[in-house]
Amino acid sequence: IEGYKFSEGAGYEAITHAVDIAKKFDTKIAVTLSDKFIIDVFRENLEVVLDASDLIFCNDLEARTLAKTESNNEAYNYLSSRY
């Protein structure tokens, strides 16, 4: 799932529909965080989808933003313990 999709008008609805279909057919779900902006603006909806995901793609800035830390180690620990 492309993170930028959260920024579209019906994006969250489309994403949750895709997640529902994937779960119905036992399909793995991967999410890319895409940009710090996506996390900052759409965190609540993003976290709902991340909780349903099997794989998360992000860079160090996105990981730190999601974990609300400036430390790469703390971000890694947060991501590996939560997801």
Side-chain angles (χ1 to χ4, degrees):
I1 296 172
E2 173 57 57
Y4 286 117
K5 192 74 174 164
F6 284 94
S7 66
E8 297 178 7
Y12 183 64
E13 181 180 335
I15 290 168
T16 56
H17 182 67
V19 167
D20 290 344
I21 292 170
K23 291 295 185 184
K24 178 179 176 181
F25 291 99
D26 198 31
T27 302
K28 300 289 183 191
I29 299 169
V31 177
T32 177
L33 299 184
S34 301
D35 192 275
K36 179 183 182 304
F37 159 79
I38 298 299
I39 301 160
D40 289 339
V41 176
F42 303 101
R43 177 181 290 275
E44 186 176 325
N45 289 342
L46 176 63
E47 287 181 341
V48 169
V49 174
L50 292 177
D51 286 340
S53 333
D54 300 290
L55 185 63
I56 300 170
F57 290 95
C58 63
N59 62 35
D60 60 332
L61 175 60
E62 295 159 356
R64 291 191 314 266
T65 302
L66 186 63
K68 298 179 182 177
T69 183
E70 291 299 317
S71 164
N72 284 340
N73 287 336
E74 288 178 16
Y76 172 81
N77 290 335
Y78 171 83
L79 289 171
S80 60
S81 68
R82 176 152 182 199
Y83 302 107

